Amino acid sequence: MTREELYKLLWHSLYFHTDRSALTREEKKEVVRLFAEYRNALALHETDLGKFTKFQAHLPLKDGATPIKCKLRPLPPHLKKKCDEQIDKWLQQGVIEPASSPWAFNLVPVAKKANVNDPNAETQWRFVVDFRPLNPMLQQPVRPIADLGEKLALLKNTTKGKKFKYMTTADFTNALDRKSTRLNSSHT
């Protein structure tokens, strides 16, 4: 994709070609420039997940932790095909790769409404790995976790009564699919 095509795609994806934005034309151009600069972190179409490579999650295990293999939980028959399709898609996207490991966790379906505002919307299924059995084996953080309310209060105080200039939302549907994760253990 050329730079011009990318800018045009971003411009339309952000609805800047409509009256839905209160930003000036120059502000819109700056937003598009920033998105284009960090293009690798964006998913611009359904099969594109983007990839953030500046961070690798490390999950430190407690001393003496040994690999576990969770008992397989069979999928309901009506979801088996959907799961197989999702696995094929992840393989094509490079999200997963064939592997052999002493660790094994279940893939579980999670119901997700396509449109939460429409009670008649079709239910879609996302498949996630259930890592809950791993939690007791992980070392606990040595630093306190930030209090969200405190951070938001600090943010409010730093604006000194000014209104925020930009507001955004993000869909992290597949966010963890493209983050490298590694268990810190001699068993991985």
Side-chain angles (χ1 to χ4, degrees), residues 20-81:
R20 292 174 67 176
S21 172
L23 301 178
T24 67
R25 184 163 184 80
E26 289 307 310
E27 290 170 331
K28 291 176 183 179
K29 285 181 179 179
E30 178 62 12
V31 169
V32 168
R33 186 196 66 75
L34 284 169
F35 275 118
E37 182 178 342
Y38 297 100
R39 182 333 192 180
N40 288 341
L42 301 176
L44 297 178
H45 49 80
E46 185 179 323
T47 59
D48 179 16
L49 296 179
K51 187 169 186 176
F52 184 73
T53 58
K54 304 280 185 204
F55 172 78
Q56 181 179 25
H58 297 280
L59 303 175
L61 297 172
K62 292 178 181 176
D63 291 337
T66 58
I68 56 173
K69 288 190 182 214
C70 297
K71 182 180 177 193
L72 181 65
R73 285 184 263 167
L75 288 172
H78 71 284
L79 293 180
K80 175 81 170 94
K81 183 179 179 199

Side-chain angles (χ1 to χ4, degrees), residues 106-156:
N106 280 299
L107 195 61
V108 295
V110 177
K112 185 78 174 176
K113 286 271 188 201
N115 181 349
V116 294
N117 297 322
D118 179 2
N120 299 318
E122 181 183 342
T123 298
Q124 296 184 351
W125 294 93
R126 294 183 181 164
F127 295 90
V128 299
V129 179
D130 183 2
F131 285 113
R132 288 178 297 177
L134 180 64
N135 289 342
M137 302 173 131
L138 296 175
Q139 293 179 12
Q140 296 302 310
V142 293
R143 62 184 184 280
I145 297 174
D147 179 270
L148 180 59
E150 179 184 332
K151 295 299 179 190
L152 290 173
L154 285 172
L155 183 61
K156 182 179 178 184

